[in-house]
DNA sequence: GCGACAG
DNA sequence: ATCTTGTCGC
């Protein structure tokens, strides 16, 4: 076995013993460069299950610097140690070592998704794994655990020191132009300069270097495969087959209405975007991209508190300041740009006046709004329907999931095809479209989750034909 | 004491 | 780490 632990220890089960072990093992750290010819690099990452304590580690072995796949390995186990910042290696270490042990070839360097010596006791995951395996190692973390740094320049390769208690313990390194840096620290048997050089060399068009990035992809793939095994032999849970009566036949126009009626009878009115101003609704439509409404409310509350919930205020606010306010909605840097792009359009074309905007007419508005950078079809339709009162049907992932599971169209169906599907079959009615979309969202979150499992409780059963 | 805090 | 939702540009 090419990777065998050169040091073995039992894994402590509590905080105090874990810290003591770190302090003991740390004395074995070698922090000068002992890498020679680097030809093979390995990356490791761990993936957890939500509902169980089973976790998986994936390892990929790649040629250096060409980054061609040489070997993959993975292992699973039971997580016994909780996640405690500073003690990550006690949670992820055991499975990671098991996966590493399955490699047939010995890597020259190991890359980990976490810190090396940039750690409260100078002994993060990468250092720990390096010492146990006796292989040079480095940490490439997505965020900082300890220390301070200045923002590096915006181009790939720019870096700044990460300083902790007056010492340079790592480096913020930009691996892609204009993308958040990663945080490099030496693990074991190499120095910071060497570590940063390897990470940059391994980074090919993504923020994360190939070894950790591909280990992450591998281990998530493995976990999902393994989790799917027990339930459906095929892997992914299969949606219910359309009933024989409907399969291949024409669907009655009334079926969408009967589904609406069933949802409305069950859930009642959803009161979506009732009291707020149209402007607030438009802001919300952009902020809610890829996030839940609760976080959007926090962001909007921040804007209100800052007196910034107006086109004027947002228009003149620096991007960074706006991003800070809308932080809770996620993707805040991108959304700050999108919000400003939309508001520039709104100010320049309509002077920030919703009434004037409405006069342009729904069809023209849809095209205009779609032309704004950051406004795609769903956001456009949300703005039109919920802020401007236009009769347009909003399609989202939930709509596709629910109706594709009943065979109305494939889940991969194009946005506009699905929109047309609904609009061709429903009366043109703003209030109906408004409520229907809200009910779809409600149903999806309640009992039509991505991971199928509550199909027995489906409210659409038997409702396909009116 | 309080907040920050890899994955 | 998990769960989950859009848009854009390369
Ligand atoms: Mg990880």
């Amino acid at each position: 076995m090419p990777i065998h632990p050169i040091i073995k220890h039992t894994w402590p089960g509590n905080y105090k013993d874990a810290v003591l072990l770190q302090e003991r093992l740390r004395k074995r750290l070698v922090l000068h460069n002992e890498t020679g010819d680097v030809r093979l690099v390995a990356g490791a990452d761990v993936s957890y299950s939500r509902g169980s304590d089973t976790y998986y580690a994936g390892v990929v072995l790649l040629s250096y610097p060409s980054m061609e796949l040489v070997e993959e390995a993975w292992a699973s186990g039971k997580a016994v140690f909780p996640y405690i910042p500073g003690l990550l290696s006690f949670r992820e270490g055991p499975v990671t070592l098991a996966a590493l042990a399955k490699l047939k070839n010995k890597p020259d360097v190991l890359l980990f998704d976490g810190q090396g010596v940039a750690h409260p006791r100078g002994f993060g995951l990468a250092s720990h794994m390096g010492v146990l395996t006796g292989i040079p190692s480095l940490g490439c973390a997505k965020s900082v655990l300890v220390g301070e740094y200045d923002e590096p320049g915006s181009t790939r390769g720019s870096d700044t020191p990460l300083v902790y208690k007056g010492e340079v313990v790592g480096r913020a390194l930009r691996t892609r132009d204009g993308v958040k840096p990663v945080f490099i620290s030496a693990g074991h048997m190499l120095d910071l300069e060497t570590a940063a050089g390897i990470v940059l060399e391994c980074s090919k068009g993504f923020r994360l270097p190939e070894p950790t990035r591909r280990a992450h992809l591998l281990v998530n793939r493995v976990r999902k495969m393994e989790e799917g095994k027990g339930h459906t032999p095929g892997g992914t849970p299969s949606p219910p087959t359309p009933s024989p009566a409907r399969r291949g036949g024409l669907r009655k126009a009334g079926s969408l209405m009967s589904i609406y009626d069933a949802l409305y009878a069950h859930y009642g009115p959803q009161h979506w975007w009732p009291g707020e101003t149209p402007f607030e609704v438009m802001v919300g439509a952009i902020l809610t991209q890829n996030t839940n409404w609760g976080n959007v409310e926090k962001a909007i509350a921040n804007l209100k508190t800052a007196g910034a919930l107006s086109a004027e205020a947002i228009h003149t606010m620096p991007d960074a300041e706006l991003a800070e306010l809308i932080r809770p909605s996620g993707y805040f840097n991108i959304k700050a740009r999108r919000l400003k792009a939309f508001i520039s359009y709104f100010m320049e074309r309509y002077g920030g006046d919703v009434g004037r905007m409405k006069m342009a007419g729904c069809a023209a508005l849809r095209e205009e709004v779609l032309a704004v950078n950051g406004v795609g079809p769903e956001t456009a339709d949300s703005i039109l329907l919920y802020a401007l009162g236009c009769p347009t049907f909003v399609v989202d992932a939930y709509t596709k999931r629910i109706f594709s599971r009943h065979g109305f169209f494939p889940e991969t169906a194009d946005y506009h095809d699905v929109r047309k599907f609904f609009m061709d079959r429903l009366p043109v009615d703003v209030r109906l479209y408004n409520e229907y979309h809200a009910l779809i969202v409600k149903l999806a979150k309640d009992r039509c989750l991505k991971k199928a499992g509550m199909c027995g409780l489906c409210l659409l059963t038997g409702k396909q034909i009116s």
Side-chain angles (χ1 to χ4, degrees):
Chain A
M1 191 167 37
I3 297 188
H4 56 280
I6 60 162
I7 295 176
K8 289 192 176 183
H9 60 63
T10 57
W11 290 95
N14 62 68
Y15 183 96
K16 198 172 138 229
D17 293 343
V19 169
L20 284 170
L21 182 64
Q22 285 182 330
E23 277 163 355
R24 196 151 55 80
L25 286 177
R26 169 193 175 185
K27 294 175 187 137
R28 314 241 194 170
L29 270 186
V30 172
L31 292 174
H32 58 262
N33 187 28
E34 291 202 356
T35 63
D37 220 12
V38 178
R39 295 162 176 277
L40 291 174
V41 294
D45 194 22
V46 170
S47 176
Y48 310 85
S49 298
R50 191 188 197 178
S52 82
D53 53 0
T54 303
Y55 67 154
Y56 299 81
V59 179
V60 295
L61 187 68
L62 307 177
S63 60
Y64 182 92
S66 60
M67 298 292 106
E68 276 157 48
L69 182 66
V70 177
E71 236 194 297
E72 292 181 336
W74 63 273
S76 69
K78 295 281 171 199
V80 288
F81 206 92
Y83 170 66
I84 301 170
L87 299 179
L88 177 65
S89 65
F90 296 91
R91 181 167 174 79
E92 298 199 348
V95 244
T96 302
L97 287 176
L100 282 169
K102 293 184 180 176
L103 287 179
K104 296 191 184 73
N105 302 281
K106 180 173 171 172
D108 300 307
V109 175
L110 304 174
L111 285 81
F112 293 94
D113 179 29
Q115 314 293 343
V117 299
H119 178 275
R121 289 165 294 281
F123 200 74
L125 174 69
S127 299
H128 199 153
M129 296 297 101
V131 166
L132 295 195
T133 58
I135 297 173
S137 65
L138 65 89
C140 176
K142 299 184 290 297
S143 63
V144 168
L145 174 60
V146 293
E148 296 181 345
Y149 68 99
D150 291 329
E151 195 63 27
S154 62
T155 58
R156 171 182 158 91
S158 305
D159 60 57
T160 50
L162 176 65
V163 178
Y164 180 56
K165 293 186 173 173
E167 304 228 347
V168 174
V169 294
R171 200 174 275 187
L173 171 67
R174 188 100 54 195
T175 52
R176 278 190 73 182
D177 287 359
V179 170
K180 277 199 297 182
V182 293
F183 302 90
I184 313 301
S185 53
H188 182 49
M189 295 170 68
L190 45 64
D191 54 32
L192 180 56
E193 190 61 36
T194 307
I198 290 172
V199 168
L200 197 58
E201 193 61 57
C202 290
S203 301
K204 312 269 184 190
F206 297 88
R207 177 161 86 116
L208 298 185
E210 289 303 295
T212 30
R213 193 180 75 85
R214 285 155 74 165
H216 182 83
L217 294 176
L218 165 70
V219 73
N220 278 298
R221 203 170 69 226
V222 165
R223 179 172 66 81
K224 279 167 189 163
M225 285 288 292
E226 292 297 304
E227 283 174 352
K229 265 185 183 175
H231 315 286
T232 320
T236 46
S238 48
T241 345
S243 67
R246 278 179 46 248
R247 203 183 294 135
L250 274 178
R251 269 172 281 276
K252 300 251 174 71
S255 68
L256 287 185
M257 269 320 291
S258 73
I259 288 169
Y260 172 82
D261 290 339
L263 295 180
Y264 191 88
H266 189 85
Y267 293 116
Q270 298 299 300
H271 308 294
W272 266 36
W273 284 321
E276 305 95 340
T277 65
F279 179 74
E280 192 171 328
V281 174
M282 295 193 289
V283 170
I286 289 169
L287 294 185
T288 200
Q289 290 170 3
N290 263 329
T291 41
N292 54 290
W293 186 248
N295 292 331
V296 174
E297 284 179 330
K298 288 176 202 159
I300 289 181
N302 285 351
L303 290 170
K304 270 188 184 149
T305 309
L309 194 56
S310 70
E312 202 73 57
I314 293 175
H315 192 57
T316 54
M317 189 181 295
D319 282 28
E321 199 178 316
L322 178 58
E324 225 27 69
L325 289 172
I326 62 172
R327 184 176 210 111
S329 72
Y331 295 89
F332 42 89
N333 288 317
I334 290 172
K335 286 179 185 174
R337 276 208 311 272
R338 292 181 179 176
L339 207 47
K340 286 195 125 187
F342 177 77
I343 282 166
S344 294
Y345 150 77
F346 182 49
M347 300 272 290
E348 279 157 29
R349 183 136 174 94
Y350 299 109
D353 184 336
V354 177
R356 270 180 61 192
M357 190 173 179
K358 281 186 183 173
M359 307 230 286
C362 292
L365 280 173
R366 191 166 193 278
E367 292 310 308
E368 283 181 18
V369 164
L370 270 174
V372 176
N373 190 283
V375 177
E378 183 186 334
T379 307
D381 286 327
S382 295
I383 290 171
L384 291 225
L385 178 63
Y386 290 99
L388 304 174
C390 291
T392 180
F393 200 84
V394 178
V395 173
D396 64 358
Y398 297 142
T399 315
K400 291 188 187 177
R401 182 194 302 158
I402 291 169
F403 289 86
S404 66
R405 283 185 181 178
H406 290 272
F408 283 85
F409 40 76
E411 182 141 27
T412 53
D414 176 76
Y415 183 97
H416 289 100
D417 293 343
V418 175
R419 174 173 176 267
K420 189 172 184 317
F421 182 89
F422 281 88
M423 294 182 69
D424 282 351
R425 288 165 177 77
L426 292 172
V428 179
D429 181 342
V430 170
R431 279 180 43 203
L432 172 68
Y433 290 175
N434 181 323
E435 197 64 51
Y436 208 154
H437 176 64
L439 286 165
I440 285 170
V441 172
K442 178 75 179 170
L443 174 69
K445 291 183 169 180
D446 180 44
R447 57 182 75 185
C448 196
L449 309 188
K450 195 168 184 179
K451 192 180 167 72
M454 292 182 280
C455 293
L457 302 173
C458 188
L459 297 175
L460 273 65
T461 309
K463 289 284 185 293
Q464 288 87 349
I465 296 172
S466 57

